[in-house]
Amino acid sequence: DTAVSQTPKYLVTQMGNDKSIKCEQNLGHDTMYWYKQDSKKFLKIMFSYNNKELIINETVPNRFSPKSPDKAHLNLHINSLELGDSAVYFCASSPPFTGVTEAFFGQGTRLTVV
Amino acid sequence: GEDVEQSLFLSVREGDSSVINCTYTDSSSTYLYWYKQEPGAGLQLLTYIFSNMDMKQDQRLTVLLNKKDKHLSLRIADTQTGDSAIYFCAESTTGGYNKLIFGAGTRLAVHP
């Protein structure tokens, strides 16, 4: 059983297009995240939702809009894609905050903007 | 501020011990973590340590924390080829809403 699943796994698109990445977790977790990993493997948090509410919004262009229809899903929509958006995007989830952040990651979506 | 630094590359012989080092700047870090990323996969939590502990051992993994120097290390005993991966150090802080701050990752290469 896949705990955190993202689709698609690969996405190649042209500059200026709009695209979405979907994420679902079946772990019953309250908190979900989007992380971006650049070509040098540097990993940075973009957004976090807790029970469908946005709780972390790092300095991310407003072309990126997360949406959480329910606590098991967190989708990422990107408008007007740019070359610099090329990266691997990871969705993750974690159980209720007890001090330890035990995050479970999806397999990643490799986005290539051409 | 929040900053986590790691050396980028480590090469070891199979059967030897590996030591991956990390430094962090945020003195309010409550937990420190080691995550592993295999090629083409997401990150997997290996182990974590509470900031008031000095050491934690879990089978082949030993985590050492020097809170005074803000230095964290991960020792892998009897390193195997299956341990080849990128290892990320991360921290979380109080009131951080589960926010993890990651280092750049250390690529561990294990050779025969």
Side-chain angles (χ1 to χ4, degrees):
Chain A
D1 280 349
T2 304
V4 180
S5 59
Q6 301 177 222
T7 53
K9 191 169 180 181
Y10 300 97
L11 185 53
V12 181
T13 188
Q14 289 186 324
M15 281 175 58
N17 283 351
D18 303 338
K19 290 292 177 187
S20 292
I21 307 171
K22 297 189 176 192
C23 179
E24 175 181 5
Q25 54 96 1
N26 62 6
L27 297 167
H29 291 164
D30 291 337
T31 308
M32 294 185 72
Y33 314 80
W34 280 107
Y35 280 85
K36 179 180 179 181
Q37 187 175 45
D38 64 22
S39 58
K40 294 182 179 175
K41 303 296 185 186
F42 199 63
L43 199 68
K44 288 213 76 168
I45 191 167
M46 300 173 71
F47 302 103
S48 177
Y49 272 71
N50 187 62
N51 273 322
K52 302 192 295 176
E53 280 192 41
L54 181 66
I55 55 171
I56 295 175
N57 184 351
E58 294 292 293
T59 309
V60 177
N62 58 14
R63 297 181 295 104
F64 289 78
S65 52
K67 282 195 171 46
S68 183
D70 55 61
K71 75 173 194 175
H73 295 84
L74 180 62
N75 304 322
L76 183 65
H77 188 76
I78 315 170
N79 287 328
S80 303
L81 278 154
E82 301 177 358
L83 293 177
D85 298 331
S86 295
V88 181
Y89 292 84
F90 285 100
C91 178
S93 71
S94 64
F97 187 62
T98 58
V100 178
T101 302
E102 189 175 356
F104 292 76
F105 283 78
Q107 296 266 41
T109 296
R110 182 175 294 276
L111 172 65
T112 304
V113 183
V114 297
Chain B
E2 306 160 332
D3 196 16
V4 179
E5 293 191 0
Q6 304 177 233
S7 53
L8 295 182
F9 190 75
L10 177 66
S11 178
V12 299
R13 187 174 299 175
E14 194 173 8
D16 287 351
S17 291
S18 308
V19 179
I20 303 171
N21 295 302
C22 168
T23 57
Y24 60 98
T25 56
D26 193 338
S27 56
S28 65
S29 294
T30 51
Y31 284 90
L32 294 131
Y33 309 79
W34 286 104
Y35 278 80
K36 177 183 180 183
Q37 185 181 27
E38 295 183 358
L43 278 73
Q44 173 195 1
L45 178 63
L46 280 180
T47 186
Y48 61 87
I49 187 168
F50 187 45
S51 58
N52 70 354
M53 294 172 63
D54 298 324
M55 187 182 90
K56 181 178 180 181
Q57 186 145 7
D58 184 0
Q59 298 182 336
R60 293 191 297 122
L61 305 179
T62 303
V63 178
L64 294 178
L65 175 59
N66 181 328
K67 195 171 181 181
K68 175 175 166 288
D69 294 339
K70 298 190 184 73
H71 183 266
L72 181 75
S73 68
L74 174 70
R75 180 176 178 270
I76 306 172
D78 186 25
T79 313
Q80 302 297 307
T81 54
D83 296 323
S84 295
I86 301 175
Y87 291 81
F88 290 89
C89 171
E91 63 173 355
S92 61
T93 58
T94 55
Y97 290 106
N98 297 11
K99 178 177 170 181
L100 289 169
I101 306 297
F102 285 91
T106 299
R107 187 180 294 273
L108 174 65
V110 183
H111 56 87

